[in-house]
């Protein structure tokens, strides 16, 4: 599977987003965390900020919706320029309808599971998904520690689906990226590891190299 790195802008300097995006030229996706203060305790950015960023960045946008009612907002994020839209199995919207809505808008659909949700929750939708996100922290905040206990879910999913993109998000750094790659993940979100490093561009390269088994 192709290794892909998706820097999470949650850890970037929101006062200088264009400059921060330029540091990500080696990235495969740009990861944008949307939080509503309801599905998770935190509030982050919404569609208008993503639309503004889209104007200054050509890398595909990977939008991670941590919101209770994703179906209501798919049009907004598709209009803003999302290329991949990920939402949670634990959210309140009908999963099948939300997947279909994302695809009808010409975006790729992805489903996410929190650490305590069995990965089997995504199985009924696999034929329509381009990616599954196995959270490696409880969603809501950057800078948390990687939960290795989630790795068996990745192994099981990789066995079932040799060709799907499996993304991990939370606590990914140059050490934990190897553990997740070994389990079968191939798309790596990294916030703090990239943006709190002295050279984000180089860190993206190192993460990519470290994930190659
Ligand atoms: C957490 C977000 C992550 C977050 C990861 O709920 O979904 O994308 O930015 O941050 P790090 O890489 O710092 O754990
Ligand atoms: Zn995320």
């Amino acid at each position: 599977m192709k290794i892909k790195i998706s820097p999470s802008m949650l850890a970037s300097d929101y006062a200088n987003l264009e400059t921060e995006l330029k540091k990500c030229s080696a990235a495969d996706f740009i990861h944008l965390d949307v939080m509503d203060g309801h599905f998770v305790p935190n509030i982050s950015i919404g569609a208008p900020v993503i639309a503004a960023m889209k104007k200054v960045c050509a890398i595909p946008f990977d939008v991670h919706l941590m919101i209770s009612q994703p179906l209501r907002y798919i049009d907004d994020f598709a209009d803003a320029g999302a290329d991949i839209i990920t939402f949670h199995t634990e959210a309140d919207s009908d999963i099948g309808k939300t997947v279909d809505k994302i695809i009808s808008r010409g975006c790729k659909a992805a489903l996410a599971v929190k650490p305590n949700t069995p990965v089997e929750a995504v199985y009924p939708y696999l034929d329509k998904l381009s990616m599954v996100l196995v959270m490696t922290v409880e969603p809501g905040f950057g800078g948390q520690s990687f939960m290795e206990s989630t790795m068996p879910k990745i192994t099981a999913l990789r066995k079932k689906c040799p060709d799907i993109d499996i993304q991990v998000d939370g606590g990914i750094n140059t050490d934990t990226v190897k553990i997740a790659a070994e389990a079968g993940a191939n798309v790596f979100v990294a916030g703090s590891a990239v943006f709190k490093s002295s050279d984000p561009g180089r860190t993206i390269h190192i993460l990519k190299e470290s994930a190659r088994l």
Side-chain angles (χ1 to χ4, degrees), residues 63-96:
V63 176
H64 179 192
L65 300 180
M66 286 163 275
I67 64 177
S68 293
Q69 299 284 346
L71 182 53
R72 276 193 204 163
Y73 298 95
I74 299 307
D75 277 325
D76 288 356
F77 289 101
D79 290 343
D83 295 277
I84 304 166
I85 300 182
T86 304
F87 69 101
H88 276 261
T89 56
E90 304 88 354
D92 296 334
S93 300
D94 181 275
I95 297 176

Side-chain angles (χ1 to χ4, degrees), residues 22-61:
K22 290 219 161 68
K23 296 176 186 171
C24 299
S25 58
D28 300 277
F29 301 139
I30 299 295
H31 187 84
L32 297 152
D33 289 299
V34 177
M35 304 180 185
D36 64 354
H38 188 261
F39 182 75
V40 290
N42 204 2
I43 297 178
S44 59
I45 59 164
V49 176
I50 293 174
M53 293 166 82
K54 189 73 183 177
K55 288 186 192 150
V56 296
C57 182
I59 298 169
F61 276 14

Side-chain angles (χ1 to χ4, degrees), residues 8 10 31 33 35 64 66 135 137-144 169-172 189-193:
S8 168
L10 190 66
H31 187 84
D33 289 299
M35 304 180 185
H64 179 192
M66 286 163 275
M135 289 299 300
V137 298
E138 284 298 334
F141 299 92
Q144 303 182 77
D169 181 8
I172 297 297
V189 175
S192 312

